[in-house]
Amino acid sequence: MILGLSRSWSVAGFCASALLVMPLLALLLEALTPDDAVFGHLMATVLPSYIRNSVLLIFWVSIGALLLALPCAWLMARCEFALRRYLQWALLLPLAMPGYIVAYVYTDLLDYAGPVQRALRAVFGWNSPQDYVFPDIRTLGGAACMLALVLFPYIYLLARTAFVEQSLHLAQASRIMGCSPWQSFWRLSLPMARPALAVGVALVAMETAADFATVSYFAVPTLTTAVYDTWLGYGNLTAAAKLSAIILLVVFLLIGIERFERRKQQLFQKPTAHQPQDLYRLSPMQTLLALGFCGAVLCFAFVLPFGILLSYAVKYFAQSWDARFWQLSVNSLSLALLTSAICLGLALLFMFVRRISPRASDALPSRLASLGYALPGTVLAIGVLIPLTWLDFGLNHLADWLGFKGPGLFFTGSVVALIFAFCVRFVAIAIGSVESSYKRISPSLDRVSVTLGQRPRQLLTRVHLPLLAKGLFAGALLVFIESMKELPAALLLRPIGFENLATFAFQYVSDEKLEYGALAAIVIVLVGLVPLIYLNRSLEQQR
């Protein structure tokens, strides 16, 4: 730590963090205002069903994702069979697939007019829906299945890591005591991996609570759709803020559970570094079953939806590849690049001050700024609208008082609101990347630089930045990808007439015409594959 840090660096860090935490504070303040007729009406009529649907959706998605991820994780971590090396990273691919895209693809396949039911009617001679029973996918259960398919890799990744890091000696001891692979899994591996599983389930639950597009497409009323409908349908910001506060309560409860379980993880095991792998070798029949299960999960979660999406994109390429598609791409690219640059600059400021300052209070800005990542997109949009609306009214009143023409909706009517929301949500990703890179830089380099007369700014530009280059690139890449994919905030905060690839694809999904938005969806998926490839390479290097 450097005692000579200028106070201006600390002030800049606190000001930046205050700006980023302002939407959360404004949201809570708005939610605490006296009750109004709209929210009272919602409480008396539909709010209980919204809450019930949200809880049920979180429960069933968590159960479904756990049932998909747990067998795959144990097979990849503790068993040896053909194609295992390729499947262990391929099972991460569903994370790149937006849930609403998967929902549309399976709706198109399984609806009454879809190929599956048409084939059944042709084979069995059925003529009408009354002749047979087929499950309706446009239900809460259908939405849970779709979300479980795209979210299970969260649990899979954490569970596989937990199984790999379990002590080799314990596994060998279980064999000596006569435990079969199944008994070893049930009595030893599963209890030891329980904290990691709890963390993964909490992440899946938070993503489910934040989902808007999938439940909106399936017309399943949840708290996230209630926020959207209350703001756009009733135009009532206070009622939307109160609903958002309920979602926040659920999210922070899940975060608390996740952190509690992560802390408990230290009590279960100590990771063994560079331990040799002692894998169960599967018989031909067991290999066939393992490949069948993992292959089916991968096929239904990624290969089939991506293949259908690709066929749509090829078939309707002429209608999609036009000037409008290029404008959408430019809009998405510009937003993502601006957000990445701002988030990277803020993260660098926070972590530089935290590293070289002797004051414990200077660690607070980075922690406050990271709170925004916990906000679901719809909640964040409401939180951003509240202070920016105050600013717009304040600017216009000031202009009128001074005798000038007001600027109008300078903040809420432009991309400023959208960029601000993206920065609030994704700056935590950049902070995490910069922080992990800083941990690999020896503090002795700072002391040597100070001894040689380097000022803080020179220390940052001449010493830290060259050493942080790889971490800065990784953080910028992750923020860029997340900005390209973010949908709920973009739907609520985009200016009139402004579209990007995510909103464009969702509009076609809502209109049951994904074929014309398939090219945009393909671009989003392909861009989303980049961090997964980067993650897989990082995991391979750690072995």
Side-chain angles (χ1 to χ4, degrees), residues 120-131:
L120 289 174
R121 290 195 295 271
V123 170
F124 295 101
W126 296 328
N127 297 316
S128 67
Q130 288 73 30
D131 295 336

Side-chain angles (χ1 to χ4, degrees), residues 145-377:
C145 290
M146 299 301 103
L147 290 173
L149 283 175
V150 298
L151 295 178
F152 83 89
Y154 284 112
I155 303 176
Y156 162 76
L157 180 60
L158 292 169
R160 190 187 74 175
T161 302
F163 289 144
V164 168
E165 291 181 347
Q166 287 176 2
S167 174
L168 175 63
H169 304 297
L170 292 176
Q172 292 172 339
S174 69
R175 291 187 181 186
I176 293 173
M177 296 178 68
C179 289
S180 66
W182 166 252
Q183 291 171 327
S184 178
F185 164 76
W186 185 254
R187 296 181 181 180
L188 180 67
S189 297
L190 185 59
M192 292 174 64
R194 189 171 59 190
L197 295 176
V199 172
V201 170
L203 291 173
V204 168
M206 283 189 283
E207 290 293 330
T208 304
D211 179 77
F212 165 77
T214 306
V215 293
S216 175
Y217 177 67
F218 277 178
V220 176
T222 62
L223 287 171
T224 50
T225 60
V227 172
Y228 188 85
D229 294 339
T230 302
W231 169 237
L232 293 185
Y234 293 100
N236 193 299
L237 198 59
T238 301
K242 292 180 183 296
L243 292 171
S244 299
I246 298 175
I247 300 177
L248 272 183
L249 181 62
V250 174
V251 169
F252 284 129
L253 177 62
L254 293 170
I255 291 175
I257 295 173
E258 182 264 344
R259 290 185 176 177
F260 177 73
E261 291 295 341
R262 189 194 304 171
R263 188 176 59 180
K264 285 174 60 180
Q265 192 169 10
Q266 298 176 358
L267 302 176
F268 283 89
Q269 64 186 39
K270 295 180 180 179
T272 305
H274 307 293
Q275 63 180 6
Q277 288 186 316
D278 185 21
L279 305 177
Y280 294 105
R281 295 193 175 274
L282 302 186
S283 66
M285 179 57 67
Q286 292 171 334
T287 298
L288 187 62
L289 291 175
L291 287 176
F293 181 81
C294 296
V297 171
L298 179 61
C299 180
F300 287 122
F302 182 79
V303 176
L304 181 60
F306 185 78
I308 294 175
L309 202 61
L310 188 60
S311 68
Y312 287 159
V314 171
K315 185 176 180 180
Y316 293 88
F317 183 81
Q319 293 92 327
S320 303
W321 189 264
D322 54 13
R324 187 183 183 190
F325 176 78
W326 282 105
Q327 184 60 52
L328 294 170
S329 301
V330 169
N331 290 345
S332 292
L333 184 65
S334 302
L335 280 174
L337 286 175
L338 278 171
T339 303
S340 300
I342 296 172
C343 287
L344 213 57
L346 291 172
L348 199 56
L349 170 65
F350 293 141
M351 297 315 302
F352 179 68
V353 171
R354 182 173 174 177
R355 179 179 176 89
I356 68 176
S357 172
R359 295 179 289 268
S361 60
D362 283 333
L364 187 60
S366 61
R367 295 170 183 168
L368 290 176
S370 299
L371 291 175
Y373 192 63
L375 300 178

Side-chain angles (χ1 to χ4, degrees), residues 26-36 39 237-239 241-242 390:
L27 178 68
L28 295 177
L29 184 62
E30 185 72 23
L32 292 175
T33 56
D35 196 6
D36 62 344
F39 186 73
L237 198 59
T238 301
K242 292 180 183 296
W390 294 342

